PDB file of all heavy atoms in Angstrom:
ATOM      1  N   GLY A1035     -18.841  19.063  22.334  1.00 97.00           N
ATOM      2  CA  GLY A1035     -18.371  18.795  23.751  1.00 97.00           C
ATOM      3  C   GLY A1035     -19.485  19.081  24.684  1.00 97.00           C
ATOM      4  O   GLY A1035     -19.621  18.322  25.724  1.00 97.00           O
ATOM      5  N   ALA A1036     -20.251  20.126  24.423  1.00 97.00           N
ATOM      6  CA  ALA A1036     -21.344  20.499  25.381  1.00 97.00           C
ATOM      7  C   ALA A1036     -22.396  19.324  25.386  1.00 97.00           C
ATOM      8  O   ALA A1036     -23.062  19.080  26.434  1.00 97.00           O
ATOM      9  CB  ALA A1036     -22.001  21.748  24.958  1.00 97.00           C
ATOM     10  N   MET A1037     -22.564  18.591  24.357  1.00 98.00           N
ATOM     11  CA  MET A1037     -23.505  17.484  24.291  1.00 98.00           C
ATOM     12  C   MET A1037     -22.980  16.359  25.235  1.00 98.00           C
ATOM     13  O   MET A1037     -23.701  15.746  25.947  1.00 98.00           O
ATOM     14  CB  MET A1037     -23.729  17.036  22.859  1.00 98.00           C
ATOM     15  CG  MET A1037     -24.297  18.122  21.988  1.00 98.00           C
ATOM     16  SD  MET A1037     -24.325  17.659  20.201  1.00 98.00           S
ATOM     17  CE  MET A1037     -25.707  16.555  20.117  1.00 98.00           C
ATOM     18  N   TYR A1038     -21.651  15.998  25.032  1.00 98.00           N
ATOM     19  CA  TYR A1038     -21.062  14.935  25.903  1.00 98.00           C
ATOM     20  C   TYR A1038     -21.166  15.381  27.344  1.00 98.00           C
ATOM     21  O   TYR A1038     -21.364  14.588  28.289  1.00 98.00           O
ATOM     22  CB  TYR A1038     -19.629  14.630  25.478  1.00 98.00           C
ATOM     23  CG  TYR A1038     -19.577  13.858  24.156  1.00 98.00           C
ATOM     24  CD1 TYR A1038     -19.441  14.542  22.949  1.00 98.00           C
ATOM     25  CD2 TYR A1038     -19.791  12.504  24.120  1.00 98.00           C
ATOM     26  CE1 TYR A1038     -19.433  13.869  21.739  1.00 98.00           C
ATOM     27  CE2 TYR A1038     -19.826  11.819  22.895  1.00 98.00           C
ATOM     28  CZ  TYR A1038     -19.634  12.498  21.711  1.00 98.00           C
ATOM     29  OH  TYR A1038     -19.686  11.819  20.535  1.00 98.00           O
ATOM     30  N   ARG A1039     -20.928  16.654  27.600  1.00 98.00           N
ATOM     31  CA  ARG A1039     -20.958  17.185  28.988  1.00 98.00           C
ATOM     32  C   ARG A1039     -22.433  17.085  29.509  1.00 98.00           C
ATOM     33  O   ARG A1039     -22.653  16.709  30.672  1.00 98.00           O
ATOM     34  CB  ARG A1039     -20.517  18.679  28.977  1.00 98.00           C
ATOM     35  CG  ARG A1039     -19.010  18.749  28.812  1.00 98.00           C
ATOM     36  CD  ARG A1039     -18.621  20.258  28.628  1.00 98.00           C
ATOM     37  NE  ARG A1039     -17.196  20.399  28.503  1.00 98.00           N
ATOM     38  CZ  ARG A1039     -16.330  20.482  29.560  1.00 98.00           C
ATOM     39  NH1 ARG A1039     -16.803  20.583  30.719  1.00 98.00           N
ATOM     40  NH2 ARG A1039     -15.030  20.622  29.347  1.00 98.00           N
ATOM     41  N   GLY A1040     -23.426  17.413  28.683  1.00 98.00           N
ATOM     42  CA  GLY A1040     -24.823  17.371  29.084  1.00 98.00           C
ATOM     43  C   GLY A1040     -25.229  15.905  29.380  1.00 98.00           C
ATOM     44  O   GLY A1040     -25.856  15.697  30.472  1.00 98.00           O
ATOM     45  N   VAL A1041     -24.829  14.956  28.648  1.00 98.00           N
ATOM     46  CA  VAL A1041     -25.148  13.554  28.908  1.00 98.00           C
ATOM     47  C   VAL A1041     -24.517  13.142  30.223  1.00 98.00           C
ATOM     48  O   VAL A1041     -25.100  12.448  31.079  1.00 98.00           O
ATOM     49  CB  VAL A1041     -24.658  12.674  27.731  1.00 98.00           C
ATOM     50  CG1 VAL A1041     -24.655  11.194  28.115  1.00 98.00           C
ATOM     51  CG2 VAL A1041     -25.569  12.876  26.542  1.00 98.00           C
ATOM     52  N   THR A1042     -23.212  13.573  30.439  1.00 98.00           N
ATOM     53  CA  THR A1042     -22.520  13.262  31.683  1.00 98.00           C
ATOM     54  C   THR A1042     -23.243  13.830  32.872  1.00 98.00           C
ATOM     55  O   THR A1042     -23.407  13.143  33.893  1.00 98.00           O
ATOM     56  CB  THR A1042     -21.071  13.785  31.580  1.00 98.00           C
ATOM     57  OG1 THR A1042     -20.446  13.195  30.448  1.00 98.00           O
ATOM     58  CG2 THR A1042     -20.233  13.472  32.882  1.00 98.00           C
ATOM     59  N   LEU A1043     -23.685  15.099  32.820  1.00 98.00           N
ATOM     60  CA  LEU A1043     -24.442  15.701  33.884  1.00 98.00           C
ATOM     61  C   LEU A1043     -25.646  14.865  34.169  1.00 98.00           C
ATOM     62  O   LEU A1043     -25.978  14.603  35.399  1.00 98.00           O
ATOM     63  CB  LEU A1043     -24.778  17.096  33.545  1.00 98.00           C
ATOM     64  CG  LEU A1043     -25.600  17.853  34.514  1.00 98.00           C
ATOM     65  CD1 LEU A1043     -24.720  18.416  35.617  1.00 98.00           C
ATOM     66  CD2 LEU A1043     -26.338  19.068  33.883  1.00 98.00           C
ATOM     67  N   TYR A1044     -26.408  14.485  33.186  1.00 98.00           N
ATOM     68  CA  TYR A1044     -27.625  13.695  33.368  1.00 98.00           C
ATOM     69  C   TYR A1044     -27.317  12.387  34.135  1.00 98.00           C
ATOM     70  O   TYR A1044     -27.956  12.066  35.126  1.00 98.00           O
ATOM     71  CB  TYR A1044     -28.302  13.364  32.037  1.00 98.00           C
ATOM     72  CG  TYR A1044     -29.457  12.450  32.123  1.00 98.00           C
ATOM     73  CD1 TYR A1044     -30.742  12.907  32.323  1.00 98.00           C
ATOM     74  CD2 TYR A1044     -29.222  11.061  32.164  1.00 98.00           C
ATOM     75  CE1 TYR A1044     -31.811  12.013  32.448  1.00 98.00           C
ATOM     76  CE2 TYR A1044     -30.309  10.164  32.334  1.00 98.00           C
ATOM     77  CZ  TYR A1044     -31.565  10.659  32.495  1.00 98.00           C
ATOM     78  OH  TYR A1044     -32.624   9.784  32.654  1.00 98.00           O
ATOM     79  N   PHE A1045     -26.293  11.645  33.669  1.00 98.00           N
ATOM     80  CA  PHE A1045     -26.037  10.338  34.321  1.00 98.00           C
ATOM     81  C   PHE A1045     -25.499  10.553  35.731  1.00 98.00           C
ATOM     82  O   PHE A1045     -25.851   9.753  36.662  1.00 98.00           O
ATOM     83  CB  PHE A1045     -25.068   9.520  33.430  1.00 98.00           C
ATOM     84  CG  PHE A1045     -25.693   8.922  32.291  1.00 98.00           C
ATOM     85  CD1 PHE A1045     -25.167   9.119  30.972  1.00 98.00           C
ATOM     86  CD2 PHE A1045     -26.807   8.144  32.379  1.00 98.00           C
ATOM     87  CE1 PHE A1045     -25.818   8.478  29.867  1.00 98.00           C
ATOM     88  CE2 PHE A1045     -27.510   7.577  31.305  1.00 98.00           C
ATOM     89  CZ  PHE A1045     -26.972   7.784  30.018  1.00 98.00           C
ATOM     90  N   LEU A1046     -24.638  11.566  35.986  1.00 98.00           N
ATOM     91  CA  LEU A1046     -24.187  11.762  37.303  1.00 98.00           C
ATOM     92  C   LEU A1046     -25.346  12.077  38.273  1.00 98.00           C
ATOM     93  O   LEU A1046     -25.382  11.577  39.375  1.00 98.00           O
ATOM     94  CB  LEU A1046     -23.148  12.918  37.338  1.00 98.00           C
ATOM     95  CG  LEU A1046     -21.816  12.526  36.726  1.00 98.00           C
ATOM     96  CD1 LEU A1046     -20.829  13.778  36.725  1.00 98.00           C
ATOM     97  CD2 LEU A1046     -21.122  11.420  37.514  1.00 98.00           C
ATOM     98  N   GLU A1047     -26.259  12.971  37.771  1.00 97.00           N
ATOM     99  CA  GLU A1047     -27.387  13.350  38.685  1.00 97.00           C
ATOM    100  C   GLU A1047     -28.364  12.204  38.889  1.00 97.00           C
ATOM    101  O   GLU A1047     -29.034  12.160  39.882  1.00 97.00           O
ATOM    102  CB  GLU A1047     -28.111  14.573  38.059  1.00 97.00           C
ATOM    103  CG  GLU A1047     -27.295  15.813  38.137  1.00 97.00           C
ATOM    104  CD  GLU A1047     -27.974  17.065  37.653  1.00 97.00           C
ATOM    105  OE1 GLU A1047     -29.067  16.935  36.981  1.00 97.00           O
ATOM    106  OE2 GLU A1047     -27.518  18.169  37.992  1.00 97.00           O
ATOM    107  N   HIS A1048     -28.340  11.197  37.996  1.00 97.00           N
ATOM    108  CA  HIS A1048     -29.213  10.014  38.167  1.00 97.00           C
ATOM    109  C   HIS A1048     -28.425   8.877  38.717  1.00 97.00           C
ATOM    110  O   HIS A1048     -28.943   7.715  38.764  1.00 97.00           O
ATOM    111  CB  HIS A1048     -29.845   9.676  36.798  1.00 97.00           C
ATOM    112  CG  HIS A1048     -30.974  10.613  36.453  1.00 97.00           C
ATOM    113  ND1 HIS A1048     -30.623  11.864  35.827  1.00 97.00           N
ATOM    114  CD2 HIS A1048     -32.297  10.647  36.634  1.00 97.00           C
ATOM    115  CE1 HIS A1048     -31.772  12.553  35.609  1.00 97.00           C
ATOM    116  NE2 HIS A1048     -32.772  11.816  36.093  1.00 97.00           N
ATOM    117  N   HIS A1049     -27.195   9.103  39.196  1.00 98.00           N
ATOM    118  CA  HIS A1049     -26.320   8.079  39.830  1.00 98.00           C
ATOM    119  C   HIS A1049     -26.180   6.880  38.919  1.00 98.00           C
ATOM    120  O   HIS A1049     -26.196   5.757  39.402  1.00 98.00           O
ATOM    121  CB  HIS A1049     -26.902   7.699  41.194  1.00 98.00           C
ATOM    122  CG  HIS A1049     -27.119   8.897  42.044  1.00 98.00           C
ATOM    123  ND1 HIS A1049     -26.173   9.628  42.632  1.00 98.00           N
ATOM    124  CD2 HIS A1049     -28.342   9.536  42.357  1.00 98.00           C
ATOM    125  CE1 HIS A1049     -26.675  10.688  43.260  1.00 98.00           C
ATOM    126  NE2 HIS A1049     -27.976  10.648  43.122  1.00 98.00           N
ATOM    127  N   VAL A1050     -25.959   7.062  37.657  1.00 98.00           N
ATOM    128  CA  VAL A1050     -25.660   6.015  36.718  1.00 98.00           C
ATOM    129  C   VAL A1050     -24.205   6.106  36.355  1.00 98.00           C
ATOM    130  O   VAL A1050     -23.708   7.046  35.717  1.00 98.00           O
ATOM    131  CB  VAL A1050     -26.522   6.099  35.380  1.00 98.00           C
ATOM    132  CG1 VAL A1050     -26.242   4.934  34.476  1.00 98.00           C
ATOM    133  CG2 VAL A1050     -28.050   6.151  35.750  1.00 98.00           C
ATOM    134  N   GLU A1051     -23.431   5.081  36.808  1.00 98.00           N
ATOM    135  CA  GLU A1051     -22.002   4.993  36.557  1.00 98.00           C
ATOM    136  C   GLU A1051     -21.677   4.549  35.149  1.00 98.00           C
ATOM    137  O   GLU A1051     -22.485   3.827  34.545  1.00 98.00           O
ATOM    138  CB  GLU A1051     -21.370   4.085  37.620  1.00 98.00           C
ATOM    139  CG  GLU A1051     -21.301   4.675  38.991  1.00 98.00           C
ATOM    140  CD  GLU A1051     -20.482   6.001  39.064  1.00 98.00           C
ATOM    141  OE1 GLU A1051     -19.329   6.017  38.515  1.00 98.00           O
ATOM    142  OE2 GLU A1051     -20.970   6.967  39.608  1.00 98.00           O
ATOM    143  N   PRO A1052     -20.488   4.927  34.578  1.00 98.00           N
ATOM    144  CA  PRO A1052     -20.159   4.528  33.236  1.00 98.00           C
ATOM    145  C   PRO A1052     -20.110   3.034  33.025  1.00 98.00           C
ATOM    146  O   PRO A1052     -20.341   2.560  31.916  1.00 98.00           O
ATOM    147  CB  PRO A1052     -18.754   5.079  32.986  1.00 98.00           C
ATOM    148  CG  PRO A1052     -18.508   6.085  34.160  1.00 98.00           C
ATOM    149  CD  PRO A1052     -19.444   5.778  35.197  1.00 98.00           C
ATOM    150  N   GLY A1053     -19.968   2.246  34.110  1.00 97.00           N
ATOM    151  CA  GLY A1053     -19.874   0.828  33.991  1.00 97.00           C
ATOM    152  C   GLY A1053     -21.298   0.129  33.840  1.00 97.00           C
ATOM    153  O   GLY A1053     -21.418  -1.019  33.475  1.00 97.00           O
ATOM    154  N   ASP A1054     -22.373   0.932  34.103  1.00 98.00           N
ATOM    155  CA  ASP A1054     -23.706   0.372  34.123  1.00 98.00           C
ATOM    156  C   ASP A1054     -24.322   0.464  32.765  1.00 98.00           C
ATOM    157  O   ASP A1054     -25.309   1.312  32.497  1.00 98.00           O
ATOM    158  CB  ASP A1054     -24.502   1.096  35.206  1.00 98.00           C
ATOM    159  CG  ASP A1054     -25.865   0.423  35.428  1.00 98.00           C
ATOM    160  OD1 ASP A1054     -26.188  -0.509  34.728  1.00 98.00           O
ATOM    161  OD2 ASP A1054     -26.581   0.892  36.389  1.00 98.00           O
ATOM    162  N   LEU A1055     -23.835  -0.312  31.795  1.00 98.00           N
ATOM    163  CA  LEU A1055     -24.263  -0.188  30.407  1.00 98.00           C
ATOM    164  C   LEU A1055     -25.818  -0.407  30.207  1.00 98.00           C
ATOM    165  O   LEU A1055     -26.425   0.370  29.465  1.00 98.00           O
ATOM    166  CB  LEU A1055     -23.418  -1.116  29.538  1.00 98.00           C
ATOM    167  CG  LEU A1055     -23.457  -0.732  28.007  1.00 98.00           C
ATOM    168  CD1 LEU A1055     -23.101   0.693  27.775  1.00 98.00           C
ATOM    169  CD2 LEU A1055     -22.591  -1.706  27.243  1.00 98.00           C
ATOM    170  N   PRO A1056     -26.380  -1.417  30.859  1.00 98.00           N
ATOM    171  CA  PRO A1056     -27.828  -1.608  30.631  1.00 98.00           C
ATOM    172  C   PRO A1056     -28.613  -0.336  31.029  1.00 98.00           C
ATOM    173  O   PRO A1056     -29.579   0.064  30.332  1.00 98.00           O
ATOM    174  CB  PRO A1056     -28.167  -2.743  31.647  1.00 98.00           C
ATOM    175  CG  PRO A1056     -26.861  -3.472  31.840  1.00 98.00           C
ATOM    176  CD  PRO A1056     -25.807  -2.434  31.727  1.00 98.00           C
ATOM    177  N   GLU A1057     -28.298   0.303  32.160  1.00 98.00           N
ATOM    178  CA  GLU A1057     -29.015   1.489  32.583  1.00 98.00           C
ATOM    179  C   GLU A1057     -28.737   2.640  31.628  1.00 98.00           C
ATOM    180  O   GLU A1057     -29.642   3.454  31.302  1.00 98.00           O
ATOM    181  CB  GLU A1057     -28.530   1.827  34.025  1.00 98.00           C
ATOM    182  CG  GLU A1057     -29.417   2.820  34.766  1.00 98.00           C
ATOM    183  CD  GLU A1057     -30.888   2.320  34.937  1.00 98.00           C
ATOM    184  OE1 GLU A1057     -31.132   1.134  34.999  1.00 98.00           O
ATOM    185  OE2 GLU A1057     -31.772   3.235  35.017  1.00 98.00           O
ATOM    186  N   ILE A1058     -27.483   2.748  31.155  1.00 98.00           N
ATOM    187  CA  ILE A1058     -27.164   3.809  30.193  1.00 98.00           C
ATOM    188  C   ILE A1058     -28.024   3.649  28.978  1.00 98.00           C
ATOM    189  O   ILE A1058     -28.615   4.574  28.425  1.00 98.00           O
ATOM    190  CB  ILE A1058     -25.664   3.783  29.868  1.00 98.00           C
ATOM    191  CG1 ILE A1058     -24.883   4.378  31.110  1.00 98.00           C
ATOM    192  CG2 ILE A1058     -25.342   4.601  28.614  1.00 98.00           C
ATOM    193  CD1 ILE A1058     -23.392   4.455  30.979  1.00 98.00           C
ATOM    194  N   LYS A1059     -28.068   2.401  28.431  1.00 97.00           N
ATOM    195  CA  LYS A1059     -28.812   2.168  27.177  1.00 97.00           C
ATOM    196  C   LYS A1059     -30.291   2.428  27.402  1.00 97.00           C
ATOM    197  O   LYS A1059     -30.974   3.014  26.527  1.00 97.00           O
ATOM    198  CB  LYS A1059     -28.601   0.734  26.741  1.00 97.00           C
ATOM    199  CG  LYS A1059     -27.262   0.553  25.975  1.00 97.00           C
ATOM    200  CD  LYS A1059     -26.774  -0.829  25.905  1.00 97.00           C
ATOM    201  CE  LYS A1059     -27.475  -1.716  24.880  1.00 97.00           C
ATOM    202  NZ  LYS A1059     -26.682  -3.012  24.802  1.00 97.00           N
ATOM    203  N   ALA A1060     -30.834   2.055  28.573  1.00 97.00           N
ATOM    204  CA  ALA A1060     -32.212   2.242  28.843  1.00 97.00           C
ATOM    205  C   ALA A1060     -32.548   3.777  28.897  1.00 97.00           C
ATOM    206  O   ALA A1060     -33.688   4.172  28.518  1.00 97.00           O
ATOM    207  CB  ALA A1060     -32.583   1.565  30.146  1.00 97.00           C
ATOM    208  N   ARG A1061     -31.624   4.554  29.375  1.00 97.00           N
ATOM    209  CA  ARG A1061     -31.975   5.931  29.638  1.00 97.00           C
ATOM    210  C   ARG A1061     -31.602   6.938  28.468  1.00 97.00           C
ATOM    211  O   ARG A1061     -32.121   7.998  28.312  1.00 97.00           O
ATOM    212  CB  ARG A1061     -31.274   6.455  30.891  1.00 97.00           C
ATOM    213  CG  ARG A1061     -31.895   5.903  32.163  1.00 97.00           C
ATOM    214  CD  ARG A1061     -31.065   6.411  33.352  1.00 97.00           C
ATOM    215  NE  ARG A1061     -31.653   5.968  34.588  1.00 97.00           N
ATOM    216  CZ  ARG A1061     -32.453   6.738  35.344  1.00 97.00           C
ATOM    217  NH1 ARG A1061     -32.812   7.946  34.921  1.00 97.00           N
ATOM    218  NH2 ARG A1061     -32.916   6.289  36.505  1.00 97.00           N
ATOM    219  N   LEU A1062     -30.692   6.424  27.614  1.00 96.00           N
ATOM    220  CA  LEU A1062     -30.064   7.339  26.584  1.00 96.00           C
ATOM    221  C   LEU A1062     -31.160   7.960  25.706  1.00 96.00           C
ATOM    222  O   LEU A1062     -31.088   9.184  25.511  1.00 96.00           O
ATOM    223  CB  LEU A1062     -29.159   6.430  25.710  1.00 96.00           C
ATOM    224  CG  LEU A1062     -27.980   7.144  25.029  1.00 96.00           C
ATOM    225  CD1 LEU A1062     -27.232   8.126  25.944  1.00 96.00           C
ATOM    226  CD2 LEU A1062     -27.045   6.086  24.462  1.00 96.00           C
ATOM    227  N   GLY A1063     -32.176   7.217  25.328  1.00 94.00           N
ATOM    228  CA  GLY A1063     -33.178   7.800  24.466  1.00 94.00           C
ATOM    229  C   GLY A1063     -34.054   8.832  25.119  1.00 94.00           C
ATOM    230  O   GLY A1063     -34.744   9.554  24.460  1.00 94.00           O
TER     231      GLY A1063
END
Side-chain angles (χ1 to χ4, degrees):
M1037 299 170 76
Y1038 289 94
R1039 288 171 177 273
V1041 166
T1042 301
L1043 179 78
Y1044 172 92
F1045 284 127
L1046 288 176
E1047 290 185 344
H1048 289 81
H1049 309 286
V1050 181
E1051 287 299 313
D1054 190 353
L1055 198 54
E1057 195 59 28
I1058 285 179
K1059 279 160 78 174
R1061 288 176 177 265
L1062 207 45

